[in-house]
Amino acid sequence: MIVRTLNEILGTEREVDGETWISRRLVLADDNMGYSVHDTVIRAGTETHIHYKNHLETVYCIAGEGEVYTVADGRKWPIGPDTVYVLDQNDEHYLRAYEAADMRMVCVFRPALTGKEVHDADGVYPAPEETTT
Ligand code: 9YT
């Protein structure tokens, strides 16, 4: 069994700063679970363009308020505590955190991230070289 705390990964290479967000990667590809799990803070007052063409992501919001704008249908989805959104179509979107407070999200990626990824200019993470799923 693996046991890990947020506190012990803060300040290590498992903590990745994407400017508008900071991702604390609790479970990664080398744990061989087929998915990765991140505790991610979205900085208040920011907008992030995201298009995970190579990954599926589920995001559960536990704090803060914001919205997701999905490009394909032009819809705005309010996101706040106790709300999950599921990017089951590799949906291109804009994630906006309102000014009042940072958002805190639990993110699950399949296939798992290796831990080194940051978004490219199109909001994409590169495809994994190999996956366990
Ligand atoms: C919610 C979201 O997609 N934020 C961007 C960062 C990403 N989830 C990560 O790597 O933790």
Side-chain angles (χ1 to χ4, degrees):
M1 192 172 87
I2 300 164
V3 177
R4 213 168 267 144
T5 66
L6 178 60
N7 204 37
E8 74 192 48
I9 68 170
L10 295 178
T12 72
E13 61 182 15
R14 285 175 172 268
E15 187 178 33
V16 176
D17 193 328
E19 295 187 15
T20 55
W21 48 265
I22 185 158
S23 176
R24 292 81 63 92
R25 293 168 171 173
L26 293 159
V27 179
L28 283 170
D30 62 2
D31 293 314
N32 295 314
M33 296 300 290
Y35 55 81
S36 57
V37 180
H38 315 171
D39 179 327
T40 300
V41 174
I42 312 298
R43 293 190 169 107
T46 64
E47 176 183 83
T48 309
H49 176 225
I50 300 174
H51 193 186
Y52 296 129
K53 297 177 186 174
N54 305 306
H55 298 83
L56 297 175
E57 187 193 23
T58 293
V59 182
Y60 184 58
C61 178
I62 55 177
E65 300 282 347
E67 66 185 27
V68 169
Y69 170 79
T70 41
V71 172
D73 56 10
R75 289 185 67 175
K76 285 183 190 171
W77 307 83
I79 305 296
D82 308 337
T83 302
V84 71
Y85 63 91
V86 179
L87 300 164
D88 63 329
Q89 305 295 321
N90 304 96
D91 312 68
E92 181 181 8
H93 62 287
Y94 288 80
L95 173 58
R96 298 167 180 150
Y98 296 157
E99 290 283 350
D102 291 347
M103 299 176 81
R104 188 169 177 198
M105 318 288 223
V106 177
C107 309
V108 177
F109 278 82
R110 184 170 69 85
L113 297 197
T114 64
K116 306 293 185 204
E117 295 89 347
V118 289
H119 295 174
D120 70 13
D122 296 324
V124 181
Y125 284 144
E129 285 170 21
E130 60 176 284
T131 70
T132 55
T133 53

